[in-house]
Amino acid sequence: MYRLSEEQINYIGADIKKRGIEMESLQQDLLDHICCMIEEGLEENGDFEKFYAAVIKTFYKNELSEIETETVNLLTNKNYYTMKKAMIFSGIFSAIVLSLGILLKFLHAPGANVCIVTGIFFFSFIFLPLMSAMRMKEKEKTRDKLIIGLGVFPAILMSISFVFRVQHWPGAMMMLYGSIAILVLLFLPFYLVNGLRRPEARVNTIVTSVLVITICGLWLTIVASPAADKKRDAENTATYLRNEEILQTEKKQVEQYTKANSINEASLALSRKIYIGCEELKSLIIEYETGFKTIDADFKNGNIRLTDKWLPNYMANLPDAANKLNELKTLVMQYNDSNAAYPDKEIHIIPIQSTVLDRSEERSIGALNSFIQIQMYVLQNERELTAVKMSEL
C-alpha cells in the first residue's frame, strides 16, 4: 500500500486550492478523499504525479471549481426547500387558526381571542418573513429586494395592528395608518416605476397596484375619520349631559318629597352611599378622559368631550376606580337584599349582571350612563320607600 509523504499531501492541498476551491471544509474533504484513493490505488513504486493527474480528473468535467458551485447550490436548495415547507406550514396553520378564532368570536365561545392572536402571530412573524426571504433569494437586483421589503413590512405592521385592535391595546390605529402610508407613499411609487419599465411585467404591476389601493381604500372606509370621531364624541357628551340633567331634576324632587314627609335620613343611608359612590366613579372617568372632574353644557366651546375609551384599560390605570367599583357592587347587593322585604311594593331591584357592576359594560360612555341608571333606580326607590314609611305611620 502506497504511503503519501507530507510533501505530497501539501502538493495536493495547494493544487486543489489553485484549481478554484475556496471553501476550507470542501478543500479538506477533497484532500482526504484524494489521498485515500491514491494510497489505495497507487503501487509502491508508482508515479505519484501521473496517478494524481488521473485521479483529479475524475472529480469534474471541465474544471474542479464545479464541485464548489454544486455544493453551494445543494446547500442553498436545502435551505430553500426547508424554508418553503416552513412557509407553507405556517401559512396553512395561521389561516386555519385565524378562521377558527373568527368562528368562535361569532359564536361568542371561549378561546376566540387566543386563536385570532395566534393565527395573526404566525402569519405576521413566520409566514410573511419567510415568504419575503424566499422572494428576495429569487431576485438578483438590490432594487427588487428593496421593493419586496417595502411591501412586506407594512403588511406585517397592518396585521399586527389587528392584534392590537382585537385586544384593545393603544396604538392600533397608528400602526394601521402607518402601514397604509408606507404602502401608498413608498411601496407603490417604487413598484410602479420598476414594473412599468418592463413590458412583460406591466399588466401584473397595474393589477397589483389596483389591488393594493383598493384594499387600503376599503380599510379606510370602515375606519372613522378624526372628524367623525370628534362629532361622535360631542354627541355622546351631549347625551350624557341630558341624562345628567334628568338625574339632577329627579334628585331635587325626591329630596323635597322626603323633607316634606319628614323621613329620617338614617333610613336612606344605604341608598345615599350608592348614589355618592356612583358620583365618585363618574368623576374619576370624566377626569381620566378630559382632565376635568365635571363637564358643563358649554363643553363644545372649551373643546372638552368624552372620548368613549376602553373601560378595562381605565380600570387598570386607576386602581382606586376598580376598588370603588367593587365597593359599589357590594353596596348594591346589600341594597337589593334590604329591599326584598317589600315584595308587594314597586321597589326596583338594581341589576348587577350584564352591567357595569360586573364589568360587562366595556366602554366609558356606557359605564357613565349605567351609573346614572343606578342612581335613578335609587332615587325612584327612595320616593317609593318614603311612601311606604308614610303609610306605616
Side-chain angles (χ1 to χ4, degrees):
M1 183 176 179
Y2 190 86
R3 294 290 180 184
L4 290 171
S5 64
E6 189 71 25
E7 182 180 353
Q8 290 172 330
I9 294 174
N10 292 335
Y11 172 80
I12 296 172
D15 187 62
I16 291 173
K17 188 174 182 180
K18 184 178 179 181
R19 289 174 181 267
I21 304 299
E22 298 180 357
M23 296 174 59
E24 293 185 4
S25 59
L26 184 58
Q27 291 176 8
Q28 293 298 321
D29 291 341
L30 284 172
L31 179 61
D32 292 341
H33 193 55
I34 292 171
C35 288
C36 290
M37 290 180 66
I38 293 175
E39 289 182 342
E40 291 178 1
L42 184 60
E43 297 179 355
E44 188 67 29
N45 297 321
D47 188 341
F48 163 74
E49 293 186 1
K50 184 177 180 181
F51 191 82
Y52 168 70
V55 169
I56 196 69
K57 287 181 180 180
T58 61
F59 286 85
Y60 62 89
K61 291 182 179 180
N62 297 319
E63 54 185 17
L64 189 63
S65 59
E66 295 172 359
I67 295 179
E68 183 167 339
T69 303
E70 292 177 2
T71 302
V72 172
N73 289 335
L74 286 173
L75 292 174
T76 303
N77 288 335
K78 182 180 179 181
N79 294 333
Y80 178 84
Y81 289 121
T82 302
M83 291 173 60
K84 187 175 182 179
K85 289 179 181 178
M87 182 196 71
I88 294 173
F89 171 79
S90 62
I92 294 174
F93 179 80
S94 61
I96 293 174
V97 175
L98 181 60
S99 300
L100 177 61
I102 294 172
L103 177 62
L104 292 174
K105 190 175 181 67
F106 277 115
L107 297 175
H108 296 281
N113 280 356
V114 175
C115 289
I116 291 174
V117 171
T118 302
I120 295 177
F121 176 85
F122 270 80
F123 178 78
S124 303
F125 296 106
I126 299 179
F127 175 76
L128 286 178
L130 286 175
M131 184 191 70
S132 64
M134 291 179 61
R135 292 294 305 274
M136 287 181 180
K137 282 182 176 292
E138 298 171 358
K139 304 295 182 180
E140 296 181 357
K141 296 181 180 180
T142 304
R143 179 178 56 191
D144 294 334
K145 295 181 178 180
L146 176 62
I147 291 174
I148 293 173
L150 286 174
V152 172
F153 175 72
I156 293 174
L157 191 63
M158 183 180 292
S159 62
I160 295 173
S161 70
F162 297 149
V163 176
F164 276 65
R165 186 73 173 174
V166 169
Q167 296 298 323
H168 301 282
W169 294 335
M173 299 311 299
M174 291 181 63
M175 285 191 287
L176 179 61
Y177 291 141
S179 62
I180 292 176
I182 293 173
L183 281 172
V184 175
L185 301 179
L186 292 178
F187 170 75
L188 275 180
F190 280 101
Y191 182 73
L192 283 170
V193 170
N194 185 61
L196 294 177
R197 287 178 177 177
R198 296 176 295 174
E200 71 278 6
R202 285 179 182 173
V203 175
N204 288 336
T205 301
I206 294 173
V207 171
T208 303
S209 300
V210 170
L211 289 174
V212 170
I213 294 173
T214 303
I215 291 172
C216 292
L218 288 173
W219 277 118
L220 290 176
T221 57
I222 63 175
V223 175
S225 64
D229 286 336
K230 189 175 180 180
K231 181 180 179 181
R232 180 201 62 196
D233 294 340
E235 292 173 351
N236 287 335
T237 305
T239 300
Y240 167 74
L241 290 175
R242 286 195 297 270
N243 292 336
E244 188 69 25
E245 184 179 356
I246 295 171
L247 174 67
Q248 295 305 318
T249 301
E250 180 72 11
K251 183 173 181 290
K252 290 179 181 179
Q253 293 176 355
V254 170
E255 287 177 347
Q256 292 173 0
Y257 184 69
T258 55
K259 283 182 180 180
N261 291 281
S262 302
I263 295 300
N264 186 357
E265 290 290 332
S267 63
L268 304 175
L270 189 57
S271 62
R272 296 297 166 85
K273 285 183 179 179
I274 294 174
Y275 190 95
I276 293 172
C278 291
E279 283 296 314
E280 291 176 348
L281 283 164
K282 288 193 298 184
S283 296
L284 286 173
I285 292 176
I286 292 171
E287 186 175 11
Y288 176 71
E289 292 206 2
T290 66
F292 300 91
K293 291 187 176 182
T294 58
I295 301 178
D296 56 24
D298 196 30
F299 69 93
K300 290 184 179 180
N301 294 332
N303 199 27
I304 301 170
R305 57 183 58 85
L306 300 173
T307 56
D308 200 19
K309 292 182 179 178
W310 183 244
L311 193 61
N313 291 340
Y314 153 72
M315 290 294 178
N317 292 328
L318 296 175
D320 288 343
N323 295 333
K324 288 181 179 297
L325 184 60
N326 291 331
E327 293 173 1
L328 179 63
K329 181 179 178 181
T330 302
L331 290 173
V332 169
M333 294 173 66
Q334 295 173 0
Y335 181 78
N336 288 338
D337 291 340
S338 66
N339 288 336
Y342 307 98
D344 57 335
K345 304 298 180 181
E346 294 183 2
I347 305 299
H348 299 288
I349 299 299
I350 301 176
I352 295 177
Q353 294 183 344
S354 302
T355 67
V356 68
L357 294 176
D358 68 352
R359 305 192 185 188
S360 297
E361 177 56 62
E362 298 179 330
R363 309 299 299 190
S364 57
I365 292 293
L368 288 170
N369 290 325
S370 291
F371 289 131
I372 291 178
Q373 290 174 3
I374 293 172
Q375 291 173 307
M376 289 294 293
Y377 276 126
V378 168
L379 292 174
Q380 290 172 2
N381 286 345
E382 280 191 16
R383 188 192 300 272
E384 183 64 23
L385 286 170
T386 300
V388 171
K389 291 183 183 298
M390 287 299 300
S391 65
E392 293 175 350
L393 294 178

